[in-house]
Amino acid sequence: DISSKALKEASNYLSSSVKLAEHDITSGPYLFQTPPAYIICSETLEHIPDAEVAVENLHKSTGEDTIVIITVPIEKHKNNIKKWLVRLGLFNLFFKGIEDSLSEWHVQDFSKTAILKLLGKYFEILNYDTIYLMHQIIVLKVKKK
């Protein structure tokens, strides 16, 4: 994460064996002393204008046995639900203070095809699934050379 505050908060809920890192993946790979068993990149890529740079640096941050887990939202479904709730006059009742269209913080909207194409350049895709049709979860491993 790029937020030391968020990392501190997260550490309150995790065991000491879980290592959290403050790093901007668009600035370069994170250089681990020992390659990690897992890297989780959750709800991040949709915030990055040049997601390919982030994915390339993520790839460079892994070891040959590192499993990478990535999640990204499915904006299309969320925005369709928001539109219907707005039309029915229910949106502000349930989601007061939340934008009624694409999140202002999201600069990417990945379709299944687009996210798999991007990740497939650098990783072997071990599994793809959706969570309640709202999020995509992809499990990856570095491609063998």
Side-chain angles (χ1 to χ4, degrees):
D1 204 308
I2 60 171
S3 168
S4 57
K5 182 179 177 183
L7 290 168
K8 184 175 182 185
E9 179 71 19
S11 70
N12 293 328
Y13 299 96
L14 301 169
S15 78
S16 61
S17 65
V18 175
K19 304 297 182 213
L20 301 174
E22 184 176 347
H23 182 71
D24 180 349
I25 198 65
T26 63
S27 66
Y30 186 83
L31 303 175
F32 294 94
Q33 290 179 346
T34 304
Y38 296 93
I39 294 177
I40 300 171
C41 179
S42 180
E43 307 302 302
T44 303
L45 294 179
E46 67 275 10
H47 298 272
I48 301 172
D50 192 348
E52 182 154 2
V53 168
V55 171
E56 182 179 8
N57 286 330
L58 185 63
H59 174 262
K60 292 175 182 175
S61 302
T62 62
E64 67 178 47
D65 294 324
T66 303
I67 299 294
V68 177
I69 301 167
I70 292 181
T71 67
V72 293
I74 303 173
E75 295 291 341
K76 179 180 177 183
H77 297 310
K78 288 183 178 187
N79 290 330
N80 284 336
I81 290 169
K82 287 178 178 181
K83 284 179 191 174
W84 278 104
L85 290 173
V86 166
R87 285 182 187 156
L88 296 171
L90 298 173
F91 186 83
N92 286 329
L93 180 67
F94 294 109
F95 302 105
K96 189 172 181 135
I98 296 177
E99 63 277 321
D100 61 4
S101 59
L102 182 68
S103 170
E104 65 182 308
W105 302 106
H106 294 179
V107 296
Q108 300 281 354
D109 181 8
F110 294 105
S111 67
K112 177 181 179 180
T113 303
I115 193 68
L116 293 179
K117 181 178 178 183
L118 171 60
L119 297 174
K121 290 181 182 180
Y122 301 94
F123 296 97
E124 175 186 349
I125 297 165
L126 301 178
N127 193 27
Y128 171 91
D129 208 346
T130 61
I131 304 167
Y132 301 120
L133 295 175
M134 295 292 170
H135 299 272
Q136 302 175 83
I137 182 167
I138 308 102
V139 180
L140 311 158
K141 192 169 185 168
V142 174
K143 283 187 172 182
K144 299 279 187 202
K145 295 180 181 175

